[in-house]
Amino acid sequence: MSISYEYEKVRSGSERQEGGWPQQPGPYPAAVLELCLSLSNSLAASTTALQTAWRALDHWNRYLESGDRQEGNLFLEEARHLLALEQPLGNGAGGWLLVSTRPGGRPALCLSAPMQSCALAVLLRALSMTGDQAYALALERCLETFRRDILDGGICSPLYADGVFFEELALYPATHSFNGMVLALLSLHELIQYWPACDETSRQLFQQALTTFEQSLSEFSGPFWPYRDLARHLATPQELTLQIALLDALATSTKSEVCARALQRWRRYARSWQCRLRYRWWHIRHSLNARLWRCWQPRLFPRPVASSNQLRVCVPLPAFPAIGGVLTVLEGIEEAMQGHWRMEYLTRAITDQETGRYIIHRFGRSWMGASHFPFVWFYVLTGAAKLFALLRQGTAFDLVLPQDAVFSALLSAPLGRLAGARVVCIDHGHLTLLQEDIHPLHLAERRRLLAHRSRLRRFIGRVQEWCYWPSYRLMLRLAARCVDQYLVPGVAGDGVETMAARFGIPASRVVRFASMINIERYPVPSEEERARRRQEHGLRQDDMVVAIACRLTPEKGLDLALASLARALEHLQPSARAKVRLIIAGDGPLRPELEQTIDQLQLQEHCALWGELSAPEIARLLSISDIFLYTSTRGACFSMAVLEAMAAGCAVIASTRPPSNALLLSEGRGIAVRPADIEETASALVRLLANPALCHQMGQAARAYIADRHSPEAFRRVLLRASGWADLEQIITETVARTGLEGEVED
């Protein structure tokens, strides 16, 4: 695990900079440096560069304290040594590497926030002392790693809605370590404080990172002892001492009131004998449990030697193939991670669609559903039994990917954690189903489906409902204790973060992502091809086709869609009214009621029910449609139907349920309307039906937006962050191959 290169800019950059170099910084925080030098540190043991940087900073402090030129010369000698150890990372970045051990004992090259931060502090001081251009260039290269995501050869990772976190070990999945983040913040603050010429981007990056850290302090603060990272590993007493010194230095330099308050809390941890006693009891119990489990884990969950570089992924879900948005997400995962993941499905029921190309592990019976009590408990127990049997047989999964935060998460997360797999839950709306403004709507929809049943059946349904929701809440809480990370499509403000906090899920474990849509699956046909496809379905070339694609269930608001269309037709000219065609694709329990509504509103000439369509058939329907209508009264995350319609170039009219529709359709990409507002929906229909040119303009803008924000590459990066990434060596190798740099780098 070594590379070769010769860094010409470093080796030959000995020119003195013509003014503009930084002011001379003060001493590096002495308490921090003393603790770093005295405490045993796995990072320092694994890299010469970090030891070199610490020695250099120690000489700098002595130089400022005593004025001894010999100490200054020793500092510059260590700085030159550090400069010689720098490695190129491509595109104007450079860093100092260390070797980390991945799960399974595999070594991996990585960057480190403490290393980059200490190097930044050394280079800043060397530049202020000498004005040497070599240090200025190295400083810029080092600073570039602070701006880059880990996937691009940097040290930062996203956290919360729009925050950044500098990682002690720049590997995914990120652990968000306390010490690495504070060291990075200290060095960045020094840079912008002592170098007036520092660019505005670096200042904004520091402020963004400081805000993120201040937000995370509540998560680092445990009930009786602080954590060393957001993976919730308790800090050792020695690490607590270093955390206090780091907080003190950061609060003093930045004047952050949040850090100052946290410093008082951390000092209480250190002074309280009750806290120390509780920590000692936890440490003893944890050590004994860990030793015991190390003996039993290989026997209960044998893991054969991996024969492939692909991650083996288990995807628990109620039925396969899934329908609607879940199916689209799973297809996106398969496409984005092709060659990296080997996906296997754990499911209760298999539909009559083609499943030959999938690896499917089936459990239970068809009546063991996740929608009613007590069958939901049978679903969880039989699913857990099946997964346990697979793990006992040596089916070693590296990643467990349940497709809901309640039932599938509970049956798989505890076993996955015990077996040593990472558990990442993709939630499609279950976290917000108990939200105050959504839960009553869901209850009304369930009762509506029972309205035409017998009195006995309605009574049984009500009893099941009373027992179902306590079970739902209990399952959600139990699963939350074992899930490593939640991937939730959607936008902030839809209630996910609020409900996660209510059920004990830390905000750092909730990661938002943009659902993937591959626009290549939704090509825009030529005018001739579009006319031919329309003719196949009895449509004229100049017809204005409005499409709806969804399950025919109460929450889709199809009665509202038909009422809005009827109202819109009243306001159109007769010539325009005759061209309107509404096509509804989908099937479900409300089809008879929907047909009756069409008759009552006298829309027979304008409406057609095409039944359930496959994904390619939906794409063909969208390709001949001008407008896509979405009138859901309840929803979460992203609406995959809206995303697909935007990718196909349709002008979209959609309710703001889910709230993400408002963002998707802003800036002229469509029209967002209030849920269940017939007048507003009808007005939007009139506006578009009377203006085909506006439909075309909106469709083009929507398609461009999807190609940019919801691409397979963006989705792939989200999955790599969640599941694990350690390919820095590949970035370095590609840089060497591209630039032809030669030399030698030791592990």
Side-chain angles (χ1 to χ4, degrees), residues 160 178 212-223 225-227 230 232 258 262 265-266 269 506-508:
Y160 305 132
F178 185 100
T212 304
F213 178 68
E214 290 175 343
Q215 184 179 351
S216 70
L217 279 172
S218 60
E219 288 196 47
F220 279 111
S221 176
W225 198 258
Y227 299 110
L230 294 186
R232 299 210 163 188
V258 178
R265 191 160 62 249
W266 259 247
Y269 287 134
S508 59

Side-chain angles (χ1 to χ4, degrees), residues 207-341:
Q207 192 56 52
Q208 183 184 16
L210 179 60
T211 302
T212 304
F213 178 68
E214 290 175 343
Q215 184 179 351
S216 70
L217 279 172
S218 60
E219 288 196 47
F220 279 111
S221 176
F224 62 89
W225 198 258
Y227 299 110
R228 69 166 180 261
D229 54 41
L230 294 186
R232 299 210 163 188
H233 298 110
L234 291 184
T236 64
Q238 295 80 11
E239 288 171 335
L240 173 59
T241 304
L242 179 56
Q243 287 182 354
I244 291 173
L246 287 167
L247 268 178
D248 190 12
L250 186 62
T252 302
S253 61
T254 64
K255 312 300 182 186
S256 168
E257 295 182 2
V258 178
C259 292
R261 289 195 297 269
L263 176 61
Q264 296 176 2
R265 191 160 62 249
W266 259 247
R267 283 174 172 165
R268 284 199 296 270
Y269 287 134
R271 291 194 300 262
S272 171
W273 66 267
Q274 294 100 329
C275 290
R276 287 185 171 274
L277 184 62
R278 290 183 68 180
Y279 168 77
R280 182 57 57 189
W281 166 244
W282 174 89
H283 178 71
I284 294 172
R285 187 182 60 185
H286 178 77
S287 299
L288 290 175
N289 290 340
R291 291 181 183 178
L292 183 63
W293 186 240
R294 279 196 296 270
C295 295
W296 281 99
Q297 187 183 40
R299 303 177 185 180
L300 289 175
F301 306 111
R303 294 183 68 89
V305 178
S307 58
S308 172
N309 290 328
Q310 291 183 333
L311 285 184
R312 195 167 184 180
V313 182
C314 176
V315 184
L317 71 168
F320 189 89
I323 60 173
V326 178
L327 175 60
T328 306
V329 170
L330 292 176
E331 289 176 342
I333 294 173
E334 291 264 12
E335 180 180 342
M337 303 307 294
Q338 188 174 10
H340 297 275
W341 288 6

